[in-house]
Amino acid sequence: MNFDHSHKRARDAGEQAASLPDWDQRYEQLSAGRFEGEVDELRVGPVQVFAERANQTVMQAGRVCANRVSVALVRAGQSPGWFGGHRLQGEQLIGVSSQGEFDLVASADMQILALSVDLAALRELVAQVDGSEAELPPVPLLLKPTSAARTEYGLLLNAALRLAQNPSELSAHPASRRMLALSLCDALLANLRSGDPTGALPASAASRRRIVARARQYMQAHAHEVIAVPDLCQAIGSSRRALQYAFEEVMQISPVTYLRAMRLNQVRSELRQNRAAPVGDVAARWGFWHPSRFASDYKALFGELPSATRSAAAAREPLTA
């Protein structure tokens, strides 16, 4: 049974997203300031455990890789987060499967402690314990285990990560790795089965989520065009007031501010990946036609000028002949 442990620090939201290759996800930095994040990850057999945090509010969207399921313990920072339309405050358990995309607004300093397991391994465990006809429990967006069960889950995942930092016992004894993997699988199944999952979203929350999702989809599809708020409202069938309220409630920023942040994140990603294109050309492709205003907006969001991003990328990965 394979065993691997890594600890990665990131200075960019996209870099942090890429540090978890089993997750097909996109990160957008929403709050202003230099990004600092870290991911502590353990892999043992069919199991992945990781702890993630960042000092900025980040929009995370995507899915876990095929044939996996994940249950994460999230601890919100001073501001609430949002997951699938549900408001996240305090400490809660959320579920993610490969059957659909998730959307998470992770507030600054939100702590994410997650366990992801291969579905085949889970099905085998369920068949051994409950019989060959037994089925896996569903994966709700938001779980409601007891407080004691939630605490125990967090302690187990943290203990696994601490154990990985001193791996001699796990490396030397395959049986220890197998027992750890089984314990983690059991914990995930227990949380899927315990307590009642939250019901459907209230109509108001579901409406806000639809408005934000449709607006983001339209913005991404027309990112290279001029997008005015009246055009956006007409395209998604929403009033200006409903659009504004939905973004401020879910994303914690206005739709205009989000559109600018989305485009700036796209510029930053391209600057980090394509060091041949002039900064001005990259900015113009994403709708920034005034160089001084673009540089000011970029520095306000990321805490550095575009030229600094380009220089850091060049220093990190030298050009090849």
Side-chain angles (χ1 to χ4, degrees):
M1 183 174 287
N2 67 299
F3 168 81
D4 184 54
H5 174 253
S6 65
H7 186 89
K8 301 174 183 176
R9 297 184 181 274
R11 295 293 181 265
D12 176 81
E15 180 184 352
Q16 178 131 330
S19 69
L20 291 167
D22 280 356
W23 293 69
D24 178 15
Q25 53 188 351
R26 302 166 299 282
Y27 284 10
E28 295 171 339
Q29 180 179 333
L30 301 182
S31 61
R34 289 182 181 272
F35 183 92
E36 294 181 3
E38 59 183 326
V39 175
D40 190 22
E41 182 189 18
L42 164 68
R43 294 171 182 266
V44 53
V47 170
Q48 175 198 40
V49 182
F50 66 88
E52 177 184 8
R53 62 162 297 278
N55 68 333
Q56 302 295 340
T57 299
V58 175
M59 175 68 195
Q60 303 183 9
R63 67 177 68 224
V64 65
C65 71
N67 299 316
R68 294 187 76 84
V69 62
S70 178
V71 171
L73 177 66
V74 295
R75 298 186 180 101
Q78 293 185 347
S79 300
W82 287 83
F83 177 69
H86 294 278
R87 189 181 181 90
L88 299 177
Q89 289 182 297
E91 186 176 80
Q92 291 179 277
L93 283 184
I94 62 177
V96 180
S97 73
S98 58
Q99 297 179 356
E101 288 209 353
F102 68 86
D103 53 278
L104 169 66
V105 179
S107 56
D109 294 320
M110 174 180 281
Q111 298 177 25
I112 302 174
L113 187 59
L115 169 60
S116 170
V117 181
D118 181 77
L119 278 174
L122 281 180
R123 291 193 179 99
E124 182 179 349
L125 179 60
V126 169
Q128 290 175 348
V129 174
D130 300 324
S132 59
E133 301 301 320
E135 296 184 356
L136 284 174
V139 184
L141 288 178
L142 212 60
L143 295 89
K144 285 188 174 180
T146 65
S147 176
R150 190 173 60 239
T151 299
E152 184 179 352
Y153 187 68
L155 290 173
L156 175 63
L157 268 58
N158 275 317
L161 289 171
R162 285 196 302 271
L163 184 63
Q165 294 172 9
N166 298 287
S168 57
E169 179 71 19
L170 292 175
S171 299
H173 302 289
S176 298
R177 296 197 295 271
R178 182 172 183 275
M179 288 304 299
L180 176 60
L182 285 174
S183 297
L184 292 166
C185 289
D186 278 338
L188 186 143
L189 285 172
N191 277 293
L192 290 180
R193 289 169 171 160
S194 69
D196 295 324
T198 56
L201 284 171
S204 58
S207 175
R208 289 193 292 269
R209 187 190 185 198
R210 283 195 300 270
I211 289 172
V212 170
R214 290 172 180 169
R216 290 184 63 243
Q217 185 177 32
Y218 182 86
M219 291 175 183
Q220 290 166 356
H222 299 82
H224 298 81
E225 305 171 14
V226 175
I227 301 177
V229 171
D231 298 331
L232 181 58
C233 291
Q234 183 178 23
I236 67 172
S238 170
S239 69
R240 179 191 290 265
R241 181 178 180 180
L243 176 70
Q244 183 81 14
Y245 183 75
F247 266 83
E248 290 179 349
E249 182 74 5
V250 176
M251 307 291 285
Q252 304 170 34
I253 54 178
S254 71
V256 172
T257 302
Y258 171 74
L259 175 61
R260 182 169 60 248
M262 183 200 75
R263 285 173 161 164
L264 287 169
N265 275 273
Q266 294 284 3
V267 172
R268 184 173 177 85
S269 176
E270 192 166 335
L271 289 178
R272 287 170 56 85
Q273 296 176 20
N274 180 6
R275 289 180 283 112
V279 172
D281 290 354
V282 176
R285 275 200 295 275
W286 292 103
F288 298 101
W289 299 285
H290 302 286
S292 60
R293 177 65 184 274
F294 159 70
S296 176
D297 288 346
Y298 189 98
K299 185 176 182 180
L301 182 58
F302 300 119
E304 66 183 24
L305 290 170
S307 56
T309 301
R310 173 61 59 81
S311 298
R316 187 178 63 253
E317 186 178 348
L319 286 168
T320 57

